[in-house]
Amino acid sequence: MAMAALRREGRRYLSPLTSPNPISAAAALRSSLIAEEQAPCGGVRSISTQIVRNRMKSVKNIQKITKAMKMVAASKLRAIQNKAENSRGLWQPFTALLGDVPSVDVKKNVIVTVSSDKGLCGGINSTSVRISKGFFKMNSGPEKHTKYVVLGEKAKAQLIRDSKKHIDLTMTELQKNPLNYTQVSVLADDILKNVEYDALRVIFNKFQSVVSFIPTVSTVLSPEVVEREAEAGGKIGDLDSYEIEGGETKSEVLQNLTEFQFSCVLFNAVMENACSEQGARMSAMDSSSRNAGEMLDRLTLTYNRTRQASITTELTEIISGASALEG
């Protein structure tokens, strides 16, 4: 509702300056100039002060909306920040065991781009999309197969323009309900069932502070790649020092671990990105409120000058008329 009100006030503010028909706009401009030449000075000045008053009212309404949106973003940020900080401890043990190697060279790459469903939050979504496109170019080739999985309406709207055929799966309205691990694990399970991958590249914005976030890439390898790297003498996927119980094979354990790793990484990515979104929205709304205040100061100065000029002209006319009667 706040965004709709903001758009409505923006249209109201711009309505005296725009017209859908350029011919009628030009005709209206000519007629207003003719009327200004023919009309008395007081009438023209009263019209201009009325226009300035209307603009001041619109700017004040926009400023109220942006301040309210900043307060709402701050409230949501406090609710999400603790969850995001706690989620960081989920994926760290998996990174120590299974690794996080962005430079690994595989044939099937799936880029999971995490974004927001709503705008007015700065450039966090554009940053995620730009990094996703960069990874897509790096991992494209005649023998490579790279696809997108998009989380969030804003990244979907940007990627669908020039990469529609490369998008395997899209998911939106992630924050319609309060985020929790169960919800995100269901999304992770849907992704694993619908894509074929050697490496999953999860791209999101890691929350640092209200005014700072870091674009981050987390890599989740498939069980086959982890096992291949372990056999090649790498440090990842080395389960020989652990005792496996329950009769499961090493491949089955790796399969379970990688699935759990992806759900934990995705949960952390969604929470971190949600924090970054609210922090960026707070900063954007604060800047908008300050800009509205500066614009209101300029309009107030213009209004006072116009009103003072009108009063001075009227006084001059009264004095001139009185002098003519006395003479």
Side-chain angles (χ1 to χ4, degrees):
M1 294 178 65
M3 295 177 68
L6 188 60
R7 288 194 294 269
R8 184 170 62 251
E9 289 298 332
R11 289 195 296 269
R12 178 181 173 185
Y13 175 76
L14 294 174
S15 59
L17 307 178
T18 57
S19 174
N21 188 349
I23 299 177
S24 62
L29 179 60
R30 285 195 298 270
S31 63
S32 64
L33 291 174
I34 294 171
E36 184 176 352
E37 292 176 357
Q38 296 177 353
C41 294
V44 174
R45 288 192 176 90
S46 64
I47 292 174
S48 62
T49 54
Q50 181 64 37
I51 292 174
V52 174
R53 268 201 307 269
N54 290 338
R55 291 184 183 175
M56 289 171 62
K57 185 177 180 181
S58 296
V59 172
K60 285 181 180 178
N61 291 337
I62 291 173
Q63 189 179 41
K64 290 179 182 178
I65 293 169
T66 54
K67 286 182 178 179
M69 293 180 70
K70 177 186 175 182
M71 294 176 62
V72 171
S75 176
K76 291 183 177 179
L77 177 61
R78 284 193 294 270
I80 299 174
Q81 188 172 358
N82 290 333
K83 293 183 179 179
E85 292 174 352
N86 294 333
S87 69
R88 293 173 184 172
L90 288 175
W91 56 269
Q92 291 172 353
F94 294 101
T95 301
L97 179 61
L98 303 177
D100 185 355
V101 190
S103 60
V104 65
D105 187 18
V106 294
K107 292 183 178 180
K108 297 179 181 179
N109 287 278
V110 176
I111 300 172
V112 183
T113 306
V114 182
S115 69
S116 65
D117 290 315
K118 297 180 181 179
L120 299 178
C121 53
I124 64 169
N125 297 314
S126 300
T127 302
S128 297
V129 170
R130 184 169 64 251
I131 294 175
S132 299
K133 290 181 177 180
F135 264 89
F136 185 87
K137 291 180 180 178
M138 289 172 55
N139 294 281
S140 297
E143 297 181 356
K144 293 187 176 181
H145 182 74
T146 306
K147 291 290 184 179
Y148 287 111
V149 172
V150 183
L151 276 65
E153 189 66 42
K154 292 302 176 180
K156 174 186 174 183
Q158 294 186 46
L159 288 173
I160 206 169
R161 298 172 190 167
D162 52 0
S163 306
K164 185 176 181 180
K165 62 180 180 179
H166 301 297
I167 298 176
D168 270 359
L169 192 63
T170 59
M171 299 177 180
T172 58
E173 297 185 356
L174 298 182
Q175 300 184 41
K176 189 174 183 179
N177 298 315
L179 290 170
N180 54 55
Y181 178 77
T182 303
Q183 177 186 355
V184 177
S185 63
V186 172
L187 298 178
D189 189 52
D190 289 340
I191 293 173
L192 294 176
K193 288 180 180 178
N194 288 281
V195 300
E196 295 182 0
Y197 72 97
D198 291 331
L200 291 160
R201 319 278 188 175
V202 184
I203 298 174
F204 60 98
N205 294 285
K206 186 176 182 180
F207 179 76
Q208 291 290 108
S209 66
V210 175
V211 295
S212 175
F213 55 89
I214 301 175
T216 306
V217 181
S218 293
T219 303
V220 179
L221 302 177
S222 67
E224 294 80 9
V225 175
V226 172
E227 195 168 359
R228 185 187 68 196
E229 293 290 328
E231 292 175 354
K235 295 182 179 180
I236 63 175
D238 186 12
L239 299 180
D240 294 336
S241 58
Y242 296 91
E243 182 179 352
I244 300 175
E245 297 180 355
E248 293 183 340
T249 63
K250 183 179 178 180
S251 299
E252 292 174 342
V253 172
L254 283 176
Q255 179 72 31
N256 294 332
L257 286 176
T258 51
E259 290 179 1
F260 192 35
Q261 179 193 16
F262 177 59
S263 63
C264 293
V265 168
L266 186 63
F267 177 62
N268 176 251
V270 170
M271 298 304 301
E272 295 279 1
N273 201 79
C275 278
S276 301
E277 175 193 350
Q278 300 302 333
R281 183 170 288 115
M282 282 182 61
S283 299
M285 293 301 102
D286 184 57
S287 298
S288 299
S289 299
R290 287 199 305 269
N291 292 339
E294 294 174 1
M295 185 178 292
L296 191 59
D297 292 340
R298 291 196 298 269
L299 288 172
T300 302
L301 183 61
T302 302
Y303 174 76
N304 291 336
R305 285 178 175 174
T306 306
R307 184 169 172 271
Q308 186 64 40
S310 176
I311 294 172
T312 304
T313 302
E314 291 175 0
L315 288 175
T316 303
E317 291 173 354
I318 291 172
I319 295 171
S320 300
S323 299
L325 290 175
E326 290 178 1

